[in-house]
Structures are given as C-alpha cells and as structure tokens.
Amino acid sequence: MSAACRYKDAAWEYIRGLLESRVSKNQPLTTFLDIPINLHDYELLLWGELQQTNRLLAEVGSVEKFLKDEIIAMRRHFNYGPELHLMRPLTEEESQRHRDLVNHTTLLYWPDDELSDIVWDSLGPYFAGDWTLDHTIDIIQSRATLYVNEQR
C-alpha cells in the first residue's frame, strides 16, 4: 500500500485477510481458490493435496491406472475461467519443488504504465466495498478498451 492510497482502511483489511490463517488444524482440506500467502495455510494446502493423491492412488492401485482412467476431479481454481485438473498425482518431490520456487521468489513485477494505472485506480473502490466485483471488472474492461483504442 502506498502512502498516497485513498482507501487505507480497506487496503489494511484486505492485507489482514491475506495474512490471517483461513483454516484450522482440524480442517486442513479446506478448498482454496488460490495459493495462500499464509505459510500455515500453504502447508495445509500441500498436505491436503498429497493426502488426496494418496487416497486416490490407494483406491486405483497404481499411478499408471490413475493417469489412464483420469480419476481426478475437475476444479475451477478461480471464480472465472475453465475447470482444470491435475495432470498427474502430486508427489512430495513436486511439492518441495514448488516450495523452493515460492521461497526463492524475491521480486514481483508490476508494470508502471497506463493500463496498470487503470487497474489500480479501480481497485480502491472495490476493496472499500463501494463497487461489486462485476462492476469493477466492467469498469476496468471499459477503460482498458478505450485506452487501447485511443493508442491505435
């Protein structure tokens, strides 16, 4: 959050929501729609995925049969977009590889240009609760389309 942020309370509420644990130790298999930034939730997500894979493999008998029969539930990882499924069972090695990627990522690139400004300007009212998600998306798409057309 920048010092110029007009919606500091809403921004802090959003940041707090990202950092607080969303699941308890008694419910580690809570469905996530994203990769949590809270380490506790992230580890529970990986643990839950490994447990699910192990259960399915125990039922099917082998990784080959698991892949051949495509016994993997389809999931919609975000509110919008197609349903996706895991291409193969998650292994401990692959989950460790993902942990290493997460733990060694030190930079997030966000371009400083007109299109990103359109997004940032629209996020404040959304996080403040003044706009719905659909309204915010409509505003961003409309403004971005207008900007791109003006640049032609």
Side-chain angles (χ1 to χ4, degrees):
M1 174 176 47
S2 73
C5 178
R6 292 181 290 174
Y7 304 97
K8 286 188 181 0
D9 290 339
W12 278 119
E13 184 177 331
Y14 175 74
I15 292 168
R16 189 177 312 106
L18 290 174
L19 298 176
E20 289 176 346
S21 180
R22 292 186 279 175
V23 296
S24 72
K25 291 180 182 177
N26 298 329
Q27 299 172 321
L29 299 178
T30 300
T31 302
F32 287 94
L33 296 176
D34 53 14
I35 297 173
I37 65 169
N38 175 292
L39 182 60
H40 173 264
D41 291 353
Y42 175 73
E43 288 299 330
L44 284 176
L45 173 68
L46 289 179
W47 181 83
E49 290 290 331
L50 288 170
Q51 293 300 311
Q52 179 180 347
T53 297
N54 291 336
R55 266 194 315 279
L56 289 171
L57 285 174
E59 290 173 16
V60 173
S62 71
V63 172
E64 292 76 24
K65 184 160 175 46
F66 183 89
L67 295 173
K68 182 179 156 228
D69 294 346
E70 297 182 9
I71 305 175
I72 302 173
M74 297 294 284
R75 295 185 190 170
R76 188 176 308 279
H77 287 279
F78 303 97
N79 291 333
Y80 301 96
E83 288 186 328
L84 305 171
H85 64 84
L86 201 57
M87 297 307 290
R88 61 178 185 240
L90 180 66
T91 64
E92 183 58 47
E93 292 79 21
E94 288 170 333
S95 63
Q96 185 58 49
R97 198 168 152 223
H98 191 264
R99 271 189 205 96
D100 293 343
L101 173 67
V102 169
N103 291 335
H104 292 94
T105 300
T106 59
L107 180 65
L108 172 68
Y109 174 72
W110 187 274
D112 184 21
D113 61 15
E114 291 297 321
L115 286 173
S116 62
D117 289 345
I118 289 170
V119 173
W120 281 114
D121 289 344
S122 301
L123 290 179
Y126 170 71
F127 288 129
D130 296 336
W131 292 354
T132 66
L133 178 61
D134 290 335
H135 180 73
T136 305
I137 291 169
D138 289 344
I139 294 292
I140 291 171
Q141 287 177 336
S142 174
R143 289 182 61 200
T145 300
L146 181 63
Y147 172 76
V148 168
N149 289 336
E150 287 176 349
Q151 299 307 306
R152 289 184 181 174

